[in-house]
Amino acid sequence: MEARILVVEDDPDLQALLAQGLREEGYDVAQARDGAGALRAAAAEPDAVILDIGLPDADGRDVCQALRARGMTAPVIFLTARDAVPDRLSGFSAGGDDYLSKPFVLAELLARLQALLRRAGTGGSRAVGELQLDPAAHALLGHDVRVELTPTEFRLLASLAATPGEVTRRRELVRAGWPEGAIVHDNTLDVYLARLRRKLRDVQGAPVIETVHGVGYRLT
């Protein structure tokens, strides 16, 4: 199933360009031109959101926070004319996953979008042991089994599940779990993987997260 992308941009020319480029890449595109429209359109549960910060009726960061408060876990790419470090950090704090400054090259936006969708596991369920990692449910599912995952846990498990039995290096997991520019302390990854292990420990058919000392982790 093609991924559905919500584009929230008040500039009609830029919005048309983005919509055309995304459709040419095979995406299903929904559009909105202000914050209120974004909140309405997000009810259709997009797989990702491209969100302008400078909307006519709201700050895009406030819109993102409202979407997160509603339970939306889809990745969000902010578009903005402001590129100062505090602006980027405020975007991440609001729940954004990436940040692209105007003007930008469409190819870069598409590459960033593809990377975020890949990290989120979008595109259907993925086998994880005898269970399925389901991006729509944001959970690990099986017969009479449902393991709820936080967004970060989901991204980490999806990254490990992409190459079962193979070692995923720590730096690759950090890139998968957290947005670019996020401050991730040395033990943060270990803490999240420990939580994942606890959730999977007593689930029949769930995989085991194995530590490969000095290298990374793998699913077995």
Side-chain angles (χ1 to χ4, degrees), residues 65-115:
Q65 287 183 316
L67 292 172
R68 295 298 189 214
R70 292 183 176 188
M72 189 194 79
T73 59
V76 174
I77 300 177
F78 281 122
L79 302 180
T80 181
R82 295 172 288 186
D83 192 32
V85 171
D87 292 321
R88 295 199 299 272
L89 293 178
S90 67
F92 294 138
S93 297
D97 297 274
D98 205 348
Y99 195 105
L100 195 57
S101 300
K102 300 177 183 179
F104 56 84
V105 178
L106 181 60
E108 181 181 2
L109 173 63
L110 292 172
R112 288 172 181 259
L113 176 63
Q114 290 165 6

Side-chain angles (χ1 to χ4, degrees), residues 150 152-153 156 170 174 178 184-199 201 209 211 217:
T150 68
T152 300
E153 290 169 348
L156 290 173
R170 292 179 62 89
V174 170
W178 288 270
V184 182
H185 297 291
D186 290 342
N187 68 335
T188 301
L189 177 63
D190 303 310
V191 169
Y192 272 86
L193 289 173
R195 292 177 185 171
L196 263 177
R197 281 185 171 124
R198 286 195 294 271
K199 288 187 175 184
R201 185 176 298 146
I209 299 174
T211 301
Y217 297 86

Side-chain angles (χ1 to χ4, degrees), residues 3-219:
R4 182 175 179 82
I5 312 301
L6 171 58
V7 179
V8 186
E9 169 60 59
D10 66 316
D11 182 325
D13 293 332
L14 179 55
Q15 187 182 87
L17 175 65
L18 291 172
Q20 179 181 348
L22 289 165
R23 291 188 176 111
E24 288 176 354
E25 292 295 316
Y27 294 111
D28 180 23
V29 181
Q31 296 168 260
R33 292 189 175 177
D34 54 28
L39 295 174
R40 290 193 298 270
E45 299 183 351
D47 295 300
V49 180
I50 298 172
L51 178 57
D52 185 23
I53 285 182
L55 297 172
D57 63 340
D59 187 303
R61 289 165 293 196
D62 294 334
V63 175
C64 184
Q65 287 183 316
L67 292 172
R68 295 298 189 214
R70 292 183 176 188
M72 189 194 79
T73 59
V76 174
I77 300 177
F78 281 122
L79 302 180
T80 181
R82 295 172 288 186
D83 192 32
V85 171
D87 292 321
R88 295 199 299 272
L89 293 178
S90 67
F92 294 138
S93 297
D97 297 274
D98 205 348
Y99 195 105
L100 195 57
S101 300
K102 300 177 183 179
F104 56 84
V105 178
L106 181 60
E108 181 181 2
L109 173 63
L110 292 172
R112 288 172 181 259
L113 176 63
Q114 290 165 6
L116 288 174
L117 290 172
R118 185 169 59 250
R119 292 173 188 174
T122 301
S125 61
R126 174 179 294 161
V128 181
E130 298 176 16
L131 308 178
Q132 296 288 322
L133 188 62
D134 192 325
H138 222 69
L140 193 60
L141 305 177
H143 181 64
D144 295 329
V145 172
R146 182 185 182 94
V147 182
E148 299 288 349
L149 302 171
T150 68
T152 300
E153 290 169 348
F154 184 92
R155 291 191 292 265
L156 290 173
L157 190 53
S159 180
L160 289 166
T163 55
E166 299 181 17
V167 178
T168 303
R169 294 183 177 275
R170 292 179 62 89
R171 63 176 178 272
E172 294 171 358
L173 285 170
V174 170
R175 284 200 296 265
W178 288 270
E180 182 179 353
I183 299 174
V184 182
H185 297 291
D186 290 342
N187 68 335
T188 301
L189 177 63
D190 303 310
V191 169
Y192 272 86
L193 289 173
R195 292 177 185 171
L196 263 177
R197 281 185 171 124
R198 286 195 294 271
K199 288 187 175 184
L200 300 177
R201 185 176 298 146
D202 299 321
V203 178
Q204 185 175 359
V208 174
I209 299 174
E210 183 179 273
T211 301
V212 181
H213 294 289
V215 183
Y217 297 86
R218 66 183 167 203
L219 284 183

